Amino acid sequence: MRKRIGTRKSICFLIIGILMTSWLLTSQSAFASEKTGTLTVYYHGVTPQGVQAVLPGAGFSLYKVGEKVENEWKLQGDFEKAAVNLEDMSSSVQRKVAEQLYDFAVKEKLQGEIKTTESDGKAVFHNLEEGIYLCAPTSDVSYDNGLFHLAPFLVFVPEMDENGNSFYDVTVEPKNEWVENEAEPQKPILPEKDPANTSTDDVKTGDDTNIWLYVILLFVSVCMIIIRIYKKEKMCDEMDL
């Protein structure tokens, strides 16, 4: 009887051990799948004179565009409708893919998460799920007498090194290009007025006062002459009487 009880206890402990092991493995797998990462964009540039420029105040938009399904990258979410092929993710093709995805985002008016570089030229995105992301500048950055222009680019979370190691805290230093500011357009020069072609009909508003002054003086003069003639004729009539 005691032997049977001991056997039953052993079986119970074995079952409990198996259940605990399964739960731990499931928990670790779930934890691994829910692991998130960060993306740090360090933005700087070099002027044609060789000046190293840290670029604060630069805006970046981040979009999650795809995820890995059975070892293949697939577009997901709003980007599923984009006619972009993710089969070739070699470095030489990534820029073209990024430009196509960004054109789609602009056309569809998609909103990404926006971060702005701080005084040290860094912008950090947190809590990023595993997947492929599109990062694009919101505008060119003005510096001195030129602009720093940056094309959209792709980011992978996690990032894999040559040895197959995964890194969830990704740092990128995107390479931009220097663009000279275009000269400001010249203001149109109005042709000077030729005095020889000046018409006598061009009368300024202020000239109306002088014209009416002459008219009033002429009217008063005529009235005085008429009154004087009238008085003279009246005196002559009185003398005749």
Side-chain angles (χ1 to χ4, degrees):
M1 184 70 179
R2 291 181 179 178
K3 188 175 180 180
R4 292 181 180 178
I5 294 175
T7 302
R8 290 176 182 176
K9 286 183 178 180
S10 299
I11 294 174
C12 289
F13 283 125
L14 180 60
I15 295 174
I16 292 173
I18 293 173
L19 293 174
M20 290 291 294
T21 303
S22 300
W23 178 78
L24 289 173
L25 292 175
T26 303
S27 299
Q28 290 179 356
S29 178
F31 176 77
S33 63
E34 294 176 359
K35 189 173 182 180
T36 59
T38 62
L39 170 63
T40 300
V41 181
Y42 176 42
Y43 199 39
H44 65 284
V46 181
T47 67
Q49 295 75 27
V51 178
Q52 295 280 346
V54 176
L55 303 175
F60 287 89
S61 293
L62 189 68
Y63 311 81
K64 185 179 181 182
V65 298
E67 55 188 9
K68 220 165 195 180
V69 180
E70 297 180 354
N71 295 324
E72 292 185 1
W73 288 111
K74 299 291 184 180
L75 295 173
Q76 59 94 36
D78 295 327
F79 287 87
E80 288 183 350
K81 299 177 182 179
V84 179
N85 190 346
L86 300 183
E87 293 181 0
D88 186 0
M89 284 287 96
S90 60
S91 56
S92 59
V93 179
Q94 285 186 23
R95 179 166 182 171
K96 180 180 179 181
V97 172
E99 291 176 348
Q100 292 174 339
L101 290 172
Y102 182 68
D103 290 341
F104 176 82
V106 173
K107 180 181 178 181
E108 297 296 322
K109 298 180 180 179
L110 302 180
Q111 297 295 326
E113 181 182 0
I114 298 178
K115 295 288 184 180
T116 304
T117 55
E118 303 290 342
S119 58
D120 56 359
K122 293 182 181 179
V124 183
F125 296 88
H126 298 278
N127 301 320
L128 301 182
E129 301 174 346
E130 293 183 356
I132 181 172
Y133 290 82
L134 170 68
C135 190
T138 57
S139 63
D140 293 338
V141 178
S142 177
Y143 185 87
D144 199 10
N145 61 336
L147 300 171
F148 283 106
H149 174 75
L150 177 67
F153 56 93
L154 299 179
V155 178
F156 298 86
V157 178
E159 185 179 51
M160 307 290 291
D161 64 7
E162 297 177 354
N163 298 322
N165 298 318
S166 301
F167 299 93
Y168 282 83
D169 295 325
V170 181
T171 299
V172 295
E173 298 183 23
K175 185 177 180 180
N176 50 35
E177 60 181 350
W178 175 265
V179 180
E180 294 286 347
N181 268 339
E182 296 181 359
E184 294 184 0
Q186 295 182 353
K187 295 181 179 180
I189 300 176
L190 298 177
E192 295 183 358
K193 198 171 184 180
D194 188 359
N197 294 331
T198 303
S199 175
T200 56
D201 296 335
D202 296 336
V203 181
K204 296 182 179 180
T205 306
D207 293 342
D208 293 344
T209 304
N210 296 332
I211 293 174
W212 282 108
L213 178 61
Y214 293 138
V215 172
I216 293 173
L217 290 176
L218 179 61
F219 178 75
V220 172
S221 299
V222 171
C223 290
M224 291 180 67
I225 294 173
I226 293 174
I227 293 172
R228 187 173 180 180
I229 293 173
Y230 174 78
K231 288 183 176 181
K232 187 175 181 180
E233 289 181 352
K234 186 175 181 181
M235 289 178 62
C236 291
D237 293 341
E238 291 178 350
M239 289 178 64
D240 292 340
L241 295 173

